[in-house]
Amino acid sequence: MEKESKIDLGFLEKPLNEHLEHLAKPQMLRSAGLDNMQGEMSIPEPMFVSANNGMTGDDYNACSSIVSACRNMIQQVIVQANPGKEDKAILDMSAWVKGFLKFPFPIFNFIDYQSDTYKEDNFSFSADTDAVERILTVKDVPDLKEALFAALHSSGEDGKLMAYSQKERDFEYFGIINAYTQTDVFIRIIRFTMHMKNTEVSALCSKTQKTALDSEFVTYRFGADKGLMIALQKAMQAGMVEDIAAELLKFIKNQSQQALSHFSEELKGGE
């Protein structure tokens, strides 16, 4: 690495090369659910939820700062890969999924993929509580349901979902959930599709009356290297770096410009 600052990130070189080797294997890039993430989200940007389930305060601060920096790196590359279409590019759910699956940086490791569907013409949020838990709740992320309802309320015209009452429409909720435990960091990407047709929105949001529900749930889970994150945060802190994401992107460009360029090409949206 040609050092452009006083920060020594040499300890990243070995895990970076190992990560690039894994990305080069075709089986590591396959995911049966990727096509289910195509299209634009119906909210201005991903909904971000974080839950600390037992990590110490110091470790949480260190890990969350690196998680945020990595997410910002992915967002920067998505935007830079689509000049003139930045606002549209940031809503591309597939680009975000590719970002976590294929980004050439040794932080996130793909763990598993899940999907589910639920259809009920006479559905009640208050009566069908088991279904609500199954559809809207991800284990160890207690605030997901509340985040979803916040997204629903913010998605409509002038911020009001009511504008779509009795209209046929697909609503695409997209979220990035960070879960911290004593020993691990998990990142979950979630897509929740709700098809609305002759739906009384006031009943849907109040959770008191019956309504139609046609939904699909798709989620990816990633594990993150807690030790590497803490080491990164210490290196950045020692160098008094204000923009961690920019410094890490600089490192990636120096170490794997070809891999980064290939990744950027994949993020280019259609005309």
Side-chain angles (χ1 to χ4, degrees), residues 104-149:
F105 193 63
I107 290 291
F108 306 109
N109 299 305
F110 175 64
I111 297 177
D112 57 30
Y113 156 83
Q114 300 175 42
S115 66
D116 198 4
T117 58
Y118 186 86
K119 295 184 180 181
E120 176 59 60
D121 291 334
N122 200 24
F123 175 82
S124 169
F125 276 97
S126 57
D128 301 317
T129 54
D130 290 343
V132 172
E133 294 303 314
R134 181 165 65 88
I135 296 168
L136 303 184
T137 303
V138 173
K139 185 179 180 182
D140 296 329
V141 185
D143 298 326
L144 176 59
K145 193 189 306 183
E146 287 73 14
L148 175 58
F149 281 109

Side-chain angles (χ1 to χ4, degrees), residues 12-63:
L12 287 175
E13 292 181 17
K14 182 179 178 181
L16 179 75
N17 291 332
E18 292 175 349
H19 184 67
L20 292 178
E21 288 178 7
H22 283 296
L23 288 179
K25 299 176 182 178
Q27 65 269 25
M28 297 299 293
L29 304 182
R30 293 185 192 138
S31 178
L34 186 57
D35 289 344
N36 289 331
M37 287 283 192
Q38 301 292 335
E40 292 185 6
M41 62 188 81
S42 303
I43 49 182
E45 62 180 8
M47 295 292 294
F48 303 121
V49 179
S50 291
N52 183 5
N53 299 308
M55 186 174 287
T56 66
D58 288 344
D59 284 358
Y60 173 77
N61 290 334
C63 290

Side-chain angles (χ1 to χ4, degrees), residues 51-213:
N52 183 5
N53 299 308
M55 186 174 287
T56 66
D58 288 344
D59 284 358
Y60 173 77
N61 290 334
C63 290
S64 62
S65 67
I66 299 302
V67 167
S68 178
C70 290
R71 190 178 68 227
N72 288 340
M73 282 194 292
I74 292 172
Q75 180 170 328
Q76 285 183 41
V77 179
I78 291 173
V79 168
Q80 292 168 5
N82 295 275
K85 299 181 290 183
E86 292 85 353
D87 292 344
K88 188 177 181 66
I90 212 65
L91 299 178
D92 185 350
M93 292 184 291
S94 177
W96 280 97
V97 176
K98 288 177 182 177
F100 284 90
L101 279 173
K102 304 183 180 184
F103 191 65
F105 193 63
I107 290 291
F108 306 109
N109 299 305
F110 175 64
I111 297 177
D112 57 30
Y113 156 83
Q114 300 175 42
S115 66
D116 198 4
T117 58
Y118 186 86
K119 295 184 180 181
E120 176 59 60
D121 291 334
N122 200 24
F123 175 82
S124 169
F125 276 97
S126 57
D128 301 317
T129 54
D130 290 343
V132 172
E133 294 303 314
R134 181 165 65 88
I135 296 168
L136 303 184
T137 303
V138 173
K139 185 179 180 182
D140 296 329
V141 185
D143 298 326
L144 176 59
K145 193 189 306 183
E146 287 73 14
L148 175 58
F149 281 109
L152 287 170
H153 281 287
S154 68
S155 66
E157 297 168 2
D158 297 324
K160 297 179 180 179
L161 190 64
M162 296 296 182
Y164 296 108
S165 187
Q166 302 297 326
K167 297 179 182 179
E168 187 165 354
R169 179 177 183 266
D170 284 319
F171 173 81
E172 300 282 0
Y173 162 83
F174 186 79
I176 299 175
I177 300 110
N178 310 316
Y180 304 87
T181 70
Q182 280 187 317
T183 57
D184 298 291
V185 181
F186 296 107
I187 313 296
R188 189 180 291 274
I189 300 176
I190 178 174
R191 175 203 181 194
F192 182 85
T193 299
M194 184 179 68
H195 179 70
M196 295 171 55
K197 184 177 182 180
N198 298 324
T199 297
E200 181 56 50
V201 178
S202 60
L204 175 67
C205 293
S206 68
K207 301 181 285 186
T208 57
Q209 302 179 41
K210 292 187 178 294
T211 185
L213 184 68

